[in-house]
Amino acid sequence: MITTEAAAESAVPAVPGDSGATGAPEREQLVWPWKDAAIRALVQRIHQLQAERAQAFRRLEEGHRQYLSSGPPYDFPRYRSTVHEVTQAFAAASREVLAVEAELAGPRAQPLLASHVRRLQQLEETRLATVALLQLMGTPELTGQDSLQMHQLKMKVIKTMEAISEVLQDLRFDAESAE
């Protein structure tokens, strides 16, 4: 999961602004730390964010397992808290991935690499939505509803994870060619 420290490091360190002649206190201008980084560093950051996403998925799965084993009565507040934490981690990772995509598509003029990052983001969104649906279908109230649909969703998660791995390989290979 993305730690508070990691989010603070990667998101937006402050740079003092110009207070000018107005006498107003200095305003902080937000700066993206990867602006002048090499393409290799951007790709490494994408891989780090993917590792953080994987950790967040594990935390989500563990939270769901704990929820299912907690009852009845089920400890929903604890599960809701886990989902909230994981949602924040996914949102932070997504914001940074989108910033890397914009950097690659714009100033770096690397449309192929940007398309890989965009595809990765789309696949992660699909994976998260599918895992959430699987967890919902696995709740005690809905257990046993449609085992065929559950199987299909599990297969979709597996195929999505395989596609994510392929995109990451393509990104790494094409990034090496771009430098």
Side-chain angles (χ1 to χ4, degrees):
M1 196 171 342
I2 298 176
T3 63
T4 306
E5 296 83 20
E9 286 176 12
S10 65
V12 283
V15 173
D18 181 15
S19 60
T22 63
E26 289 189 22
R27 288 182 50 174
E28 293 180 344
Q29 183 178 2
L30 302 179
V31 177
W32 190 53
W34 305 100
K35 184 177 184 334
D36 296 321
I39 289 174
R40 176 182 297 127
L42 294 175
V43 171
Q44 286 174 341
R45 183 62 187 147
I46 291 292
H47 283 274
Q48 290 169 347
L49 291 166
Q50 283 304 111
E52 292 171 8
R53 282 177 166 168
Q55 196 174 35
F57 270 111
R58 285 190 295 275
R59 178 69 184 112
L60 185 60
E61 288 295 326
E62 179 59 28
H64 189 249
R65 262 192 302 282
Q66 289 174 353
Y67 169 70
L68 293 177
S69 66
S70 71
Y74 295 95
D75 187 0
F76 185 72
R78 182 176 176 190
Y79 177 63
R80 180 179 50 215
S81 175
T82 299
V83 170
H84 177 72
E85 291 170 14
V86 169
T87 299
Q88 288 180 323
F90 281 128
S94 292
R95 280 190 301 272
E96 194 167 348
V97 167
L98 293 172
V100 170
E101 177 196 351
E103 181 73 15
L104 291 169
R108 303 301 176 96
Q110 296 291 331
L112 179 61
L113 299 181
S115 70
H116 290 322
V117 174
R118 185 177 321 106
R119 179 72 179 134
L120 178 65
Q121 184 68 13
Q122 292 166 342
L123 289 166
E124 285 293 353
E125 288 172 6
T126 298
R127 179 181 176 199
L128 181 57
T130 307
V131 167
L133 185 55
L134 271 168
Q135 287 190 356
L136 179 63
M137 291 180 71
T139 59
E141 300 82 15
L142 299 176
T143 300
Q145 290 293 317
D146 188 352
S147 61
L148 176 60
Q149 186 179 12
M150 291 278 287
H151 176 73
Q152 290 171 336
L153 289 172
K154 288 177 184 177
M155 292 306 297
K156 183 176 181 178
V157 170
I158 291 168
K159 290 192 180 299
T160 302
M161 290 173 65
E162 290 171 352
I164 288 169
S165 292
E166 289 175 17
V167 169
L168 287 170
Q169 283 181 319
D170 291 345
L171 177 63
R172 183 169 291 189
F173 177 76
D174 291 338
E176 289 173 4
S177 300
E179 289 188 336

